[in-house]
C-alpha cells in the first residue's frame, strides 16, 4: 500500500511520520509528475486551505486529483484538508475539490484564540485526543455523509464513502488510531 501526502504547504511531515508508525509507506505530492505513479490513498494536511487551493491549481494538480477522488480514491483531509473537500463553506466563496456533501465553517472558533485540545469519542474508533488549530467545524453533513465525532455540539469528524475528514489534527498527537482507521478504509476498498 502506498499513501500519497499532499506536500504543498502545512503539516504534511507529521502525517508521513504517523504513516511510518502504522507501517505504511508514503510519498509526497509536490508536482504533477509525482502523481504518475499509482497510489491507494491521499492525505490532505492542515495548513491554509486558500494557499493549498491556489498552489493545486497553479501546479496543474487540481483537476487530476479531483478526478481521482471522484473516481473513489480514498482521501483523508485534516483541518484545511477538510475545507478543500467541502462542497459548501458558509463563510468563504472559494471552493476547491468540493467532493464531500457538507457545510463547513472556516476559522469557526476564532482566528487566533481558536486553538484548543480536548478528548472525545469518535465513532468506530473510540475516545481520541483532538488538537484544534484555527479549525473549521462542520455545520451539517448531507447525502451519504456520516457524522463520526462532535465536540461542543459541532461536527468535527465525518465520512462519506471513501472520504474521511477531521477538523482537528490527529497527526499532532501520539495516538495513531485515526490513521489506522484510514488505512483500514483503504484496505476494505482494495
Ligand atoms: N484556518 C485554516 C484554513 O482556513 C485551517 C487551519 C488548519 O489547517 N490548522 O484553511
Amino acid at each position: 500500500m502506498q499513501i500519497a501526502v499532499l506536500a504543498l504547504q502545512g503539516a504534511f511531515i507529521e502525517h508521513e511520520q504517523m504513516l511510518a508508525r502504522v507501517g505504511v509507506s508514503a510519498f509526497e505530492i509536490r508536482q504533477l509528475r509525482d502523481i504518475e505513479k499509482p497510489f491507494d490513498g491521499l492525505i490532505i494536511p492542515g495548513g491554509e486551505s486558500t494557499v493549498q487551493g491556489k498552489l493545486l491549481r497553479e501546479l496543474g494538480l487540481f483537476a487530476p486529483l479531483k478526478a481521482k477522488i471522484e473516481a473513489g480514491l480514498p482521501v483523508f483531509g485534516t483541518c484545511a484538508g477538510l475545507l478543500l473537500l467541502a462542497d459548501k463553506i458558509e463563510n468563504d466563496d472559494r471552493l476547491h475539490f468540493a467532493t464531500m456533501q457538507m457545510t463547513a465553517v472556516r476559522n469557526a472558533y476564532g482566528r487566533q484564540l481558536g486553538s484548543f485540545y480536548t478528548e472525545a469519542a469518535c465513532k468506530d474508533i473510540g475516545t481520541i485526543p483532538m488538537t484544534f488549530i484555527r479549525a473549521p467545524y462542520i455545520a451539517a453533513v448531507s447525502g451519504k455523509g456520516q457524522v463520526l465525532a462532535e465536540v461542543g455540539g459541532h461536527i468535527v469528524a465525518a465520512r462519506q464513502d471513501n472520504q474521511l475528514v477531521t477538523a482537528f489534527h490527529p497527526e499532532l498527537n501520539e495516538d495513531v488510531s485515526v490513521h489506522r482507521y484510514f488505512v483500514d478504509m483503504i484496505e476494505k476498498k482494495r
Side-chain angles (χ1 to χ4, degrees):
M1 180 188 301
Q2 279 277 357
I3 297 185
V5 181
L6 188 65
L8 304 180
Q9 187 266 343
F12 52 87
I13 291 165
E14 290 82 353
H15 279 291
E16 291 163 25
Q17 290 164 348
M18 293 304 256
L19 291 172
R21 286 178 53 202
V22 297
V24 172
S25 69
F27 69 94
E28 294 181 349
I29 296 180
R30 291 178 177 270
Q31 51 192 322
L32 195 49
R33 69 156 192 260
D34 296 331
I35 62 173
E36 282 165 11
K37 52 185 150 185
F39 49 99
D40 308 293
L42 170 68
I43 292 184
I44 308 176
E48 275 303 314
S49 53
T50 50
V51 176
Q52 290 188 33
K54 187 168 172 281
L55 289 171
L56 279 165
R57 288 171 175 92
E58 285 174 7
L59 295 163
L61 284 163
F62 182 78
L65 285 180
K66 182 173 162 72
K68 281 181 191 289
I69 297 167
E70 281 170 344
L73 174 74
V75 61
F76 173 22
T78 57
C79 204
L82 178 158
L83 291 163
L84 288 180
L85 293 169
D87 73 348
K88 191 157 184 283
I89 303 176
E90 212 170 82
N91 52 351
D92 204 326
D93 304 330
R94 288 162 291 190
L95 289 178
H96 306 283
F97 294 128
T99 48
M100 244 179 115
Q101 290 177 275
M102 62 182 173
T103 303
V105 183
R106 209 176 155 212
N107 295 316
Y109 300 94
R111 269 187 180 272
Q112 293 303 332
L113 299 172
S115 302
F116 62 97
Y117 173 87
T118 190
E119 287 171 13
C122 196
K123 188 171 181 288
D124 300 330
I125 298 180
T127 298
I128 51 168
M130 299 179 178
T131 297
F132 292 81
I133 303 170
R134 294 178 304 108
Y137 61 60
I138 302 166
V141 298
S142 59
K144 284 165 125 190
Q146 201 191 347
V147 174
L148 298 183
E150 287 182 71
V151 168
H154 300 300
I155 303 164
V156 297
R159 178 172 173 179
Q160 177 188 309
D161 297 323
N162 289 317
Q163 303 183 72
L164 171 70
V165 289
T166 62
F168 53 91
H169 288 264
E171 77 285 7
L172 298 183
N173 295 103
E174 289 300 301
D175 188 308
V176 295
S177 53
V178 182
H179 288 78
R180 210 167 257 145
Y181 178 89
F182 181 54
V183 170
D184 277 355
M185 261 172 72
I186 297 171
E187 254 155 19
K188 283 184 187 129
K189 200 221 154 200
R190 289 208 302 169

